[in-house]
Amino acid sequence: MQPGQFFIELIYPRRCPICREIVLPKGSYICTRCRQKVTLVTQPSCMKCGKPLAIAGQEYCYDCVRHEHHYKRGFAVYVYDDVMRQSLGDFKFRGKKEYGDFFAQEIVSRYGKQIKQIGPDYLVPIPLHPAKRRKRGYNQAEILARKIGETLGIPVIPNLLKRNRNTIPQKTLDDKERLKNLRRAFSFGTGLKCSDEGLRNIKIMLVDDIYTTGSTIEACTNVLNKQGITDIYFVTVSIGRGY
């Protein structure tokens, strides 16, 4: 811990992203006892999206069998359950931006080596609509992307994608409604200037907080595909179950 950070935490002690109390032991990002409350994604997991699977030997989850996803592969740290629902809700909607330190650290700890092996040229956070960003004050996906990028030495392009429509929350919709809700929701931004040939040769890793059916990641992937970018991966903090 740097000296400046020590004094900041002395005045404003870090809160645990799970129990919301002051983190013990000091210097950690999460309470020791709270680490037992979160559920890691373990094997077997979907070879496409990374969702945990119930049956050993099963290769793909129910969603990936039913729907074609155009990204290459995805990674997630935690199963999306009630514990993560509360924690990520605090991170996204209740101003707990500091939780991004913990979530980004967990992503790097779990998948940093694989991300480096993939070798993405850029990390791209899933964008928020400008109205929603103004109201919230930040984009949680951008916080994650910047912290991951800083640790792994990968540039971040926060405006490679634009959100054109202020869509209703995906969690309130079924599969078909989710796709309809995201139709034309995203477009290609102005964050990258290079030739068409150059675009075809880059690798992108999308960054978000939650993956459920994959509708948002797929919508963004499709926008990038239309620009000739086909080498696309994603990483998220949490993901739903694949069964």
Side-chain angles (χ1 to χ4, degrees), residues 15-55:
R15 296 278 173 170
C16 174
I18 305 303
C19 70
R20 301 170 175 163
E21 300 297 330
I22 294 173
V23 174
L24 295 174
K26 294 285 187 181
S28 299
Y29 289 103
I30 184 174
C31 296
T32 301
R33 58 187 172 83
C34 287
R35 188 170 283 282
Q36 310 305 314
K37 299 178 183 179
V38 294
T39 304
L40 288 168
V41 173
T42 57
Q43 296 301 320
S45 63
C46 179
M47 294 175 64
K48 185 73 172 180
C49 73
K51 284 186 176 183
L53 301 171
I55 304 171

Side-chain angles (χ1 to χ4, degrees), residues 73-234:
R73 192 177 176 190
F75 306 89
V77 179
Y78 295 113
V79 175
Y80 188 58
D81 55 15
D82 289 342
V83 173
M84 292 310 301
R85 184 178 295 109
Q86 173 192 289
S87 186
L88 288 172
D90 287 345
F91 178 43
K92 292 171 65 169
F93 306 121
R94 291 181 279 277
K96 301 298 185 182
K97 294 188 288 184
E98 67 271 20
Y99 289 2
D101 293 335
F102 168 68
F103 294 134
Q105 181 193 57
E106 292 294 285
I107 287 172
V108 170
S109 176
R110 193 82 186 278
Y111 296 115
K113 186 176 293 186
Q114 286 167 278
I115 291 172
K116 284 191 170 184
Q117 286 175 346
I118 289 169
D121 296 286
Y122 304 102
L123 301 178
V124 176
I126 301 298
L128 285 178
H129 186 271
K132 191 171 289 185
R133 178 166 184 145
R134 284 194 298 272
K135 181 179 179 180
R136 194 175 299 177
Y138 58 93
N139 176 3
Q140 74 282 352
E142 185 176 337
I143 289 175
L144 292 170
R146 289 196 182 281
K147 291 181 182 298
I148 296 166
E150 182 180 346
T151 304
L152 297 180
I154 305 171
V156 176
I157 307 183
N159 55 343
L160 186 65
L161 292 166
K162 294 192 301 182
R163 192 148 197 160
N164 306 313
R165 295 177 57 216
N166 195 0
T167 52
I168 62 176
Q170 289 286 88
K171 63 184 179 182
T172 65
L173 307 174
D174 63 26
D175 287 2
K176 290 183 179 179
E177 289 172 330
R178 285 172 189 242
L179 293 172
K180 184 177 180 181
N181 186 43
L182 291 172
R183 195 169 297 148
R184 296 184 296 277
F186 299 98
S187 63
F188 196 68
T190 58
L192 188 62
K193 297 185 183 298
C194 61
S195 66
D196 290 343
E197 185 63 34
L199 287 176
R200 283 195 290 272
N201 291 327
I202 67 173
K203 290 181 182 179
I204 295 292
M205 179 160 281
L206 300 170
V207 180
D208 206 1
D209 56 322
I210 303 169
Y211 180 107
T212 49
T213 65
S215 302
T216 299
I217 295 292
E218 180 64 13
C220 291
T221 297
N222 290 337
V223 170
L224 296 174
N225 284 171
K226 289 177 181 177
Q227 298 296 320
I229 305 172
T230 58
D231 230 353
I232 302 164
Y233 301 79
F234 79 81

